[in-house]
């Protein structure tokens, strides 16, 4: 049994500095009248002559499901802060500093809310469902697994599968930990590992079930 932290990202591994560089490169391509670049900005700006770096940043943000560059940056900043807090929290679990871990859990909750707000999850519309791990909208991913008030997209299932398959042990939970899978409610002691996401978790058994659902759906689509 172990608790493994989920690697939060835009998707995983993409940072705001890298996105800034992508925006600069896209602007150069637009100014060079490259067809592929013009096609990328066309849904947002019809006249490439008036496109600035700020507008290109908006395109980058919209492509990733954010309403603005500021929202994307807020998400990235909160994600980085959450990763640091998670790392420190798991270190405290390893040294059985349960009091400090509880204090950090109280800090983590508002950070998760900031991520959700930045991703637009505060819209409150019952028709818009988002992955509880990366906050992407259902219409922005290929496959979407629906649990009991919990959702996970195919991209995050793939990430979780990699964490389970790579053999990483994760952190052994302390006796005070009450980590449960958000999908099946099993305690971390009942399974091999639980992937701890931003305010949600999924065990290795539910990851395997999600993979089967996605595989069956893909085969049905191709038949």
């Amino acid at each position: 049994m172990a608790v493994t932290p989920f690697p939060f990202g835009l998707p995983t591994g993409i940072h705001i500095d890298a996105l800034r560089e992508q925006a600069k490169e896209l602007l150069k391509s637009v100014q060079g009248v490259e067809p592929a670049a013009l096609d990328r900005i066309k849904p947002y700006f019809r006249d490439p002559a008036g496109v600035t770096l700020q507008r290109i940043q908006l395109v980058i943000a919209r492509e990733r499901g954010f309403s603005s560059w500021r929202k994307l940056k807020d998400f990235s900043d909160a994600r980085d802060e959450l990763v640091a807090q998670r790392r420190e929290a798991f270190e405290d679990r390893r040294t059985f500093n349960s009091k400090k871990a509880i204090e950090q859990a109280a800090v983590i909750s508002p950070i998760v809310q900031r991520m959700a707000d930045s991703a637009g999850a505060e819209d409150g519309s019952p028709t818009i469902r988002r992955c509880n791990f990366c906050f992407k909208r259902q219409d922005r991913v290929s496959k979407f697994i629906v649990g009991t008030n919990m959702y996970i997209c195919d991209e995050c299932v793939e990430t979780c599968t990699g964490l389970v398959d790579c053999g990483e042990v994760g952190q052994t939970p302390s006796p005070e930990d009450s980590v449960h899978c958000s999908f099946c409610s099993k305690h971390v002691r009942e399974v091999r590992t639980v992937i701890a996401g931003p305010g949600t978790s999924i065990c290795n058994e539910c990851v395997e079930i999600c993979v089967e659902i996605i595989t069956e759906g893909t085969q049905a689509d191709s038949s």
Side-chain angles (χ1 to χ4, degrees), residues 89-105:
F90 277 102
E91 181 66 26
D92 284 327
R93 286 194 181 99
R94 187 165 62 239
T95 57
F96 299 103
N97 187 343
S98 59
K99 181 179 179 181
K100 184 64 178 300
I102 291 172
E103 292 173 352
Q104 286 172 332

Side-chain angles (χ1 to χ4, degrees), residues 1-12:
M1 59 182 180
V3 180
T4 303
F6 183 85
F8 318 103
L10 292 166
T12 303

Side-chain angles (χ1 to χ4, degrees), residues 28-147:
K28 290 180 182 178
S29 298
V30 170
Q31 292 172 340
V33 199
E34 296 181 15
L38 296 178
D39 286 342
R40 283 182 66 180
I41 70 167
K42 188 175 181 180
Y44 312 100
F45 303 105
R46 295 187 177 276
D47 182 14
V51 172
T52 62
L53 179 60
Q54 186 176 20
R55 290 187 172 184
I56 290 295
Q57 288 177 336
L58 176 60
V59 172
I60 295 289
R62 290 288 178 83
E63 288 178 338
R64 285 158 178 77
F66 293 85
S67 60
S68 68
W69 177 262
R70 182 182 63 80
K71 292 278 191 181
L72 187 153
K73 184 180 183 303
D74 288 346
F75 183 95
S76 178
D77 291 344
R79 184 276 316 274
D80 291 343
E81 187 177 347
L82 181 61
V83 169
Q85 289 287 346
R86 283 286 194 189
R87 187 179 297 115
E88 187 176 347
F90 277 102
E91 181 66 26
D92 284 327
R93 286 194 181 99
R94 187 165 62 239
T95 57
F96 299 103
N97 187 343
S98 59
K99 181 179 179 181
K100 184 64 178 300
I102 291 172
E103 292 173 352
Q104 286 172 332
V107 173
I108 286 174
S109 181
I111 297 175
V112 172
Q113 187 59 52
R114 279 166 49 201
M115 292 171 66
D117 292 346
S118 299
E122 82 282 5
D123 48 41
S125 173
T127 62
I128 297 178
R129 299 191 291 193
R130 295 177 181 271
C131 173
N132 289 100
F133 286 82
C134 68
F135 302 106
K136 285 183 181 175
R137 287 170 36 165
Q138 181 177 4
D139 58 358
R140 300 248 178 208
V141 297
S142 299
K143 303 290 181 181
F144 205 72
I145 308 298
V146 179

Side-chain angles (χ1 to χ4, degrees), residues 98-221:
S98 59
K99 181 179 179 181
K100 184 64 178 300
I102 291 172
E103 292 173 352
Q104 286 172 332
V107 173
I108 286 174
S109 181
I111 297 175
V112 172
Q113 187 59 52
R114 279 166 49 201
M115 292 171 66
D117 292 346
S118 299
E122 82 282 5
D123 48 41
S125 173
T127 62
I128 297 178
R129 299 191 291 193
R130 295 177 181 271
C131 173
N132 289 100
F133 286 82
C134 68
F135 302 106
K136 285 183 181 175
R137 287 170 36 165
Q138 181 177 4
D139 58 358
R140 300 248 178 208
V141 297
S142 299
K143 303 290 181 181
F144 205 72
I145 308 298
V146 179
T148 305
N149 297 320
M150 299 298 302
Y151 311 111
I152 186 169
C153 69
D154 58 315
E155 296 173 9
C156 288
V157 169
E158 183 178 357
T159 299
C160 291
T161 300
L163 292 174
V164 171
D165 291 345
C166 73
E168 290 189 7
V169 180
Q171 304 295 336
T172 302
S174 70
E176 294 86 356
D177 277 332
S178 58
V179 180
H180 291 78
C181 173
S182 301
F183 288 81
C184 69
S185 299
K186 285 185 179 179
H187 191 274
V188 63
R189 290 193 292 271
E190 300 178 82
V191 294
R192 180 155 61 91
T193 187
V194 168
I195 311 300
T200 191
S201 302
I202 185 170
C203 70
N204 60 286
E205 296 176 1
C206 286
V207 170
E208 294 171 4
I209 292 174
C210 288
V211 170
E212 292 177 4
I213 293 173
I214 292 172
T215 302
E216 290 175 358
T218 301
Q219 291 175 345
D221 291 341

